[in-house]
Amino acid sequence: MPKIVDHTARREEIAEALWRVVRRDGIRAASVRTIAAEAGWSAGAVRYYFPDQDGLLSFAMDLVSRRVTERISAIEPKGTATTIALRYLEEALPLDAERRAEFDVWIAFMAQAQAETGAGSLHEHVDTVHDGLRRLCESLLNVLANDGALKDGLDLRREAERLHALIDGLALHAAIQPERTTPTRLRQVLRHHLETLMV
């Protein structure tokens, strides 16, 4: 029987090799040759799945956001409103090795998108992910408000922007100074912020 190849798994394997190259050597080092060597494949095999560099970068960037989305979708909404909100928001923070790797790569992709002239596929991915995180913040605050868990008179749009900025800032601090901004500290700051909004 012919061998069945899982093309999605192969593409993800190549993207993860790109992640490792980017984390170790920077995004400029992520050529087809270096990625192929990291994956243990030939350059021709990498080009079979990704004929051009832009397609590979776009897929690898999309894989970061897809994995975060999958984890968020798998969360069981059990417990208090605050606990549930925290579980959702924590998926966007680099709290373990997997999420740190994703965020390191994400920072590299954002920097590359900013360096590009004009709009491009990386810009579109950055915008999509930022919009998704903002919508998550808005959605969680609306759910908390509908449950009567938030203080009266809050401007939910402004609070969603503040929460979004807090998540971005905490993630960046954790990436820059992981010994100071530990997972425990991240959780404490995030919980404290939500508690200031609660009844």
Side-chain angles (χ1 to χ4, degrees), residues 17-53:
L18 182 148
W19 291 4
R20 293 192 297 275
V21 170
V22 168
R23 290 190 79 201
R24 186 180 62 239
D25 303 318
I27 199 163
R28 289 176 185 263
S31 67
V32 169
R33 183 179 54 79
T34 58
I35 294 163
E38 181 69 28
W41 291 22
S42 69
V46 171
R47 287 194 184 95
Y48 172 80
Y49 288 100
F50 297 101
D52 60 67
Q53 186 82 348

Side-chain angles (χ1 to χ4, degrees), residues 23-177:
R23 290 190 79 201
R24 186 180 62 239
D25 303 318
I27 199 163
R28 289 176 185 263
S31 67
V32 169
R33 183 179 54 79
T34 58
I35 294 163
E38 181 69 28
W41 291 22
S42 69
V46 171
R47 287 194 184 95
Y48 172 80
Y49 288 100
F50 297 101
D52 60 67
Q53 186 82 348
D54 285 346
L56 174 52
L57 288 175
S58 292
F59 182 86
M61 196 171 186
D62 182 62
L63 184 59
V64 174
S65 57
R66 194 152 37 91
R67 294 232 172 127
V68 174
T69 301
E70 287 169 358
R71 289 198 302 268
I72 288 173
S73 298
I75 291 173
E76 294 272 345
K78 295 179 181 177
T80 65
T82 307
T83 300
I84 294 168
L86 282 168
R87 287 215 311 274
Y88 280 105
L89 294 170
E90 285 174 359
E91 289 303 336
L93 293 173
L95 293 171
D96 55 29
E98 179 182 4
R99 286 176 279 187
R100 279 194 300 275
E102 291 169 353
F103 191 72
D104 287 349
V105 172
W106 183 251
I107 289 177
F109 285 144
M110 283 198 300
Q112 181 66 22
Q114 289 301 111
E116 290 179 348
T117 55
S121 59
L122 293 185
H123 278 285
E124 292 170 9
H125 283 293
V126 169
D127 289 345
T128 298
V129 171
H130 273 288
D131 290 345
L133 181 55
R134 186 178 64 252
R135 284 194 301 272
L136 175 64
C137 292
E138 290 171 350
S139 174
L140 290 174
L141 290 178
N142 281 322
V143 168
L144 291 171
N146 290 336
D147 287 348
L150 296 183
K151 294 175 181 175
D152 290 334
L154 291 177
D155 181 333
L156 292 185
R157 289 187 66 182
R158 184 181 64 191
E159 293 303 334
E161 287 181 12
R162 284 209 311 155
L163 182 56
H164 185 186
L166 178 65
I167 295 292
D168 279 346
L170 287 175
L172 188 58
H173 288 192
I176 294 170
Q177 291 187 310

